[in-house]
Amino acid sequence: MSSSHHKSTRGQEETEKLKSNLEEQLDRLVQQLADLEEAKEDLDAEEYEETKQETMDQLTEFKESLDNMVGGNLSLVDQLSGMQLAIQAAISKAFKTPEVIRMFAKKQPGQLRQRLAEIRRDEKVGKLSGDVATQQSVEILTALKKLGENLTPEEEAYLQNNSSASLKQFEQVSGDLASGDKVLAVASSQVKQASK
């Protein structure tokens, strides 16, 4: 009996190792997005778009390898579903805030809530423009909802009133975690629309 127990612990360790490797990869990609946004002023438009597209392509590839890994492996589904969704959100351009994407991927509702409070405070004192605050707040609320957190009626209303089209679409398609194909189909149709 002890041997089978040992096997499952080894499996768990491997899963943990895999997960932290993947998180590192994701961190790196998200950091690329963050650096790019910070450098936006210094880059010409073409350079910015090109670099951004490269990062998006890398995210898409990363998502594909995640999907392959998870396919049929239930212990991974649970571990990586947040990551899959967060990458999907980034690729479909529903989410634009690297920090939020990162917390979403790592399933950190507590940190997302904290971030939400900071955004509200920053907006009040004028550190953040209303547009940016709204965009980030809506991303956070969408992420919280996807992570199974309950939103207050006020938050739900705020989400409904301020959600961008791409966020609403993301929320609808990714409502059911199991239907990855549907999400990808929508993502590719969005990409086609965006490139027109």
Side-chain angles (χ1 to χ4, degrees):
M1 190 171 146
S2 58
S3 65
S4 68
H5 173 71
H6 182 68
K7 193 162 151 261
S8 71
T9 354
R10 204 177 65 217
Q12 251 173 334
E13 274 168 29
E14 279 166 21
T15 303
E16 277 305 312
K17 203 154 69 186
L18 177 67
K19 192 176 164 223
S20 65
N21 282 345
L22 291 169
E23 279 182 357
E24 269 169 42
Q25 253 179 296
L26 182 69
D27 268 345
R28 208 171 51 238
L29 289 168
V30 170
Q31 193 53 52
Q32 262 172 250
L33 282 177
D35 293 344
L36 185 59
E37 290 311 315
E38 272 173 30
K40 195 172 180 174
E41 270 84 73
D42 311 324
L43 299 169
D44 61 55
E46 201 175 318
E47 213 178 348
Y48 170 80
E49 281 307 325
E50 239 171 64
T51 317
K52 180 142 192 169
Q53 194 49 55
E54 270 170 31
T55 308
M56 286 297 174
D57 290 344
Q58 288 174 305
L59 274 167
T60 306
E61 274 170 37
F62 183 50
K63 171 104 174 36
E64 280 164 11
S65 61
L66 264 187
D67 291 344
N68 290 337
M69 258 177 242
V70 169
N73 184 333
L74 288 176
S75 64
L76 280 180
V77 171
D78 196 44
Q79 299 271 340
L80 302 180
S81 56
M83 208 180 281
Q84 282 178 296
L85 270 181
I87 296 171
Q88 183 55 49
I91 297 170
S92 65
K93 313 237 184 353
F95 281 43
K96 300 185 173 71
T97 317
E99 205 34 52
V100 176
I101 295 169
R102 183 183 281 138
M103 292 175 190
F104 185 6
K106 292 186 171 178
K107 295 188 174 177
Q108 297 173 323
Q111 267 128 309
L112 284 163
R113 284 247 170 240
Q114 207 176 329
R115 172 86 177 165
L116 190 57
E118 283 165 21
I119 292 168
R120 299 225 160 113
R121 203 177 53 220
D122 287 352
E123 188 183 12
K124 273 204 188 87
V125 299
K127 242 173 80 177
L128 269 185
S129 74
D131 287 353
V132 174
T134 303
Q135 163 81 26
Q136 294 196 8
S137 302
V138 169
E139 288 180 21
I140 289 174
L141 290 171
T142 305
L144 285 167
K145 209 169 159 176
K146 288 281 158 239
L147 293 174
E149 294 290 301
N150 289 323
L151 301 187
T152 66
E154 293 83 39
E155 288 172 335
E156 280 288 357
Y158 183 87
L159 196 52
Q160 284 312 312
N161 296 332
N162 296 293
S163 242
S164 65
S166 55
L167 266 166
K168 282 203 170 96
Q169 203 168 11
F170 168 72
E171 199 190 338
Q172 282 161 358
V173 277
S174 58
D176 175 12
L177 274 182
S179 57
D181 312 333
K182 215 166 55 181
V183 176
L184 288 172
V186 167
S188 61
S189 74
Q190 276 185 348
V191 170
K192 287 194 190 84
Q193 280 167 357
S195 59
K196 273 188 187 145

